[in-house]
Amino acid sequence: MRVLTKTSELANFCQQARQHPFVTVDTEFIRERTYFAKLCLVQLAFTGEDNNNTALVDPLSDVLSLEPFYELLSDESVVKVFHAARQDIEIFFSEAQIIPKPLFDTQIAAMVCGYGDQVGYETLVRDIAKFDLNKSSRISDWSQRPLTNSQKCYAIADVTHLRVIYEHLKAETEARARAHWLEGELELLLSTDTYRIEPREIWKRIKSRNRSPRFLAILRELAAFRELYAQQNNIPRSWVLRDEVLVLLANRQPKTANEIRKTRLFSTKIGHAKLFAGVLEAISKGQALSESELPKSNDKSSIVNTNTAASDLLKVLLKTRSKEFGVAAKLIASSAEIEALAAGERSLPVLSGWRREIYGKDALRLCEGKLALSVRQNLDEVEVVDRETMLLRDASL
């Protein structure tokens, strides 16, 4: 198999790929010790059977520029096919501000076609391409050179079988009139907002029981400082300060570096003066904000937990509709959406578009008491019936 190490070689391959309707793409990267992923390998393939239609691209080569590859990703006459594309696209957006269009994600397409929640590539290769993958090189140091033959075979298999999977799932989504479902799901992957990290929004991902506005203001400043520090030093955010430490610091609000060191659970690989100064400054910023500048809690757990019975019924209906339409339940509605729906929220994705048609409208009727669930005689299936119809049927017995 070809390993492209020169820009000219990559340019020639990409020019060939642009003569075809689609190209399959995958990457290998490492990020255990860095904030930003380090791209170590790009795998490409287009239609055909011989080795000229596949290539491994070495981004670590000193004489290779990825510019021809990024031009291919930007060519809207060629469909770019990935499996679970989000992390790959995050790398391309971070390095070149590029989001591949048009895009086809076989993991999402498989969910649309009923293969289950977040189905793995290995499963699709086995079920669709009828091939058992050798995954012995799954955990490898992809930054080491030269690559072993085992690594090369593992890497190229991630795009060769993807061609068969793409053609199968594309045909299936079209045959089942679900291509527009897939397009709707891809909107998130194609949005630049998905890959932009706003340091002052990171606090919303951190779990804490304390929801007071002042605490949240300090937590927001601490989380923003940590994010910027991690980016500037290209180290994992957990190496700076772990989430639970941020929560403790926001609660205790230390005034000196020595008080920070005494914080329970505090442990950092970079415990120097600049870090402590940044933490103290962030706490001070949060303390100085006026009442009108304080963030509001988005926590709705106290509301959601008040209607577990309705939530349970909605989950049964979801499972029933998922089985009936052959689409992954998680793709129709998340657990959080179900709980919010049970609590009375109505501005939810599940109540619009194709989700409303196959589930949302009946979910509303269930919440309103207009729909009933019953167990069929064989005790193996749930029947969804109009409540008035059920009452009339029961009255006639």
Side-chain angles (χ1 to χ4, degrees):
M1 65 195 71
R2 288 188 294 172
V3 180
L4 309 182
T5 59
K6 298 178 180 179
T7 304
S8 58
E9 296 172 343
L10 177 59
N12 288 337
F13 182 88
C14 289
Q15 184 59 38
Q16 294 177 53
R18 291 167 77 170
Q19 309 308 311
H20 295 264
F22 71 89
V23 58
T24 54
V25 187
D26 192 36
T27 68
E28 304 298 340
F29 57 88
I30 55 176
R31 69 183 314 167
E32 289 81 7
R33 297 177 178 272
T34 58
Y35 180 93
F36 299 103
K38 180 179 181 180
L39 184 59
C40 298
L41 194 68
V42 178
Q43 303 99 283
L44 299 171
F46 51 85
T47 51
E49 297 295 335
D50 59 51
N51 289 335
N52 291 327
N53 300 336
T54 66
L56 301 178
V57 182
D58 186 0
L60 303 184
S61 169
D62 293 334
V63 291
L64 183 139
S65 165
L66 286 176
E67 189 61 32
F69 169 62
Y70 290 135
E71 290 177 1
L72 172 62
L73 293 185
S74 301
D75 187 340
E76 296 196 9
S77 69
V78 182
V79 177
K80 273 65 69 173
V81 182
F82 295 79
H83 182 83
R86 181 161 180 162
Q87 286 187 303
D88 301 311
I89 298 176
E90 181 182 350
I91 295 173
F92 305 148
F93 187 76
S94 174
E95 295 200 353
Q97 296 292 294
I98 287 176
I99 294 179
K101 296 179 183 178
L103 176 72
F104 191 100
D105 189 314
T106 56
Q107 185 177 72
I108 297 176
M111 293 171 71
V112 166
C113 294
Y115 283 83
D117 295 343
Q118 296 182 321
V119 61
Y121 179 68
E122 186 175 0
T123 299
L124 294 182
V125 171
R126 183 178 63 249
D127 293 351
I128 296 175
K130 309 303 180 185
F131 188 88
D132 288 323
L133 290 175
N134 181 351
K135 306 298 284 186
S136 60
S137 295
R138 184 194 301 268
I139 302 175
S140 294
D141 184 350
W142 294 100
S143 66
Q144 293 296 313
R145 293 296 184 269
L147 295 171
T148 66
N149 286 333
S150 177
Q151 284 179 308
K152 293 176 185 178
C153 291
Y154 168 88
I156 206 65
D158 280 346
V159 288
T160 51
H161 301 296
L162 193 55
R163 296 176 295 194
V164 176
I165 294 169
Y166 162 67
E167 292 178 326
H168 177 91
L169 292 177
K170 181 176 182 291
E172 187 169 352
T173 54
E174 292 173 351
R176 300 174 71 173
R178 294 183 179 180
H180 66 289
W181 292 17
L182 180 59
E183 290 173 4
E185 295 310 303
L186 291 176
E187 287 180 3
L188 181 63
L189 286 177
L190 294 173
S191 172
T192 57
D193 292 339
T194 301
Y195 309 101
R196 286 199 177 100
I197 297 176
E198 298 295 338
R200 289 179 62 78
E201 297 295 316
I202 295 295
W203 67 275
K204 295 177 180 178
R205 306 179 189 177
I206 301 174
K207 296 179 180 180
S208 172
R209 294 182 180 179
N210 188 342
R211 310 308 294 172
S212 73
R214 182 64 61 185
F215 164 83
L216 293 177
I218 296 171
L219 182 64
R220 180 178 64 185
E221 299 299 330
L222 284 167
F225 161 72
R226 179 187 67 175
E227 201 70 17
L228 291 171
Y229 193 102
Q231 290 176 0
Q232 292 164 1
N233 292 277
N234 196 23
I235 55 176
R237 61 174 66 93
S238 62
W239 284 21
V240 184
L241 294 166
R242 301 195 310 277
D243 284 358
E244 57 267 37
V245 177
L246 291 184
V247 171
L248 283 171
L249 291 171
N251 272 314
R252 296 186 179 182
Q253 302 172 36
K255 296 180 175 58
T256 66
N258 193 45
E259 289 181 29
I260 295 175
R261 290 190 183 93
K262 293 180 179 178
T263 300
R264 188 170 62 89
L265 301 179
F266 182 82
S267 174
T268 179
K269 299 186 178 186
I270 47 172
H272 49 65
K274 186 177 179 181
L275 172 65
F276 295 133
V279 168
L280 294 174
E281 183 180 358
I283 292 172
S284 179
K285 283 182 180 179
Q287 292 171 332
L289 293 174
S290 66
E291 292 294 324
S292 63
E293 296 175 301
L294 299 180
K296 300 296 188 294
S297 171
N298 291 323
D299 183 39
K300 299 174 183 176
S301 58
S302 59
I303 299 175
V304 172
N305 290 335
T306 60
N307 206 338
T308 54
S311 178
D312 289 342
L313 287 174
L314 287 168
K315 289 175 182 177
V316 173
L317 177 63
L318 177 62
K319 184 177 180 180
T320 302
R321 289 295 187 239
S322 170
K323 183 178 180 180
E324 178 183 348
F325 286 91
V327 59
K330 187 175 182 179
L331 194 64
I332 301 173
S334 66
S335 296
E337 278 186 283
I338 294 298
E339 292 172 354
L341 185 61
E345 289 191 49
R346 296 297 180 259
S347 297
L348 298 166
V350 72
L351 298 179
S352 64
W354 65 269
R355 291 179 173 83
R356 180 183 181 87
E357 290 303 310
I358 71 171
Y359 175 74
K361 61 184 180 182
D362 282 344
L364 287 176
R365 295 183 67 211
L366 184 63
C367 291
E368 294 165 358
K370 298 177 181 178
L371 205 66
L373 304 177
S374 66
V375 179
R376 294 185 186 273
Q377 289 183 348
N378 60 12
L379 302 180
D380 190 39
E381 295 182 358
V382 172
E383 183 180 12
V384 182
V385 296
D386 183 271
R387 186 169 177 80
E388 290 186 5
T389 302
M390 174 175 276
L391 291 175
L392 289 174
R393 185 178 66 185
D394 291 345
S396 66
L397 295 177

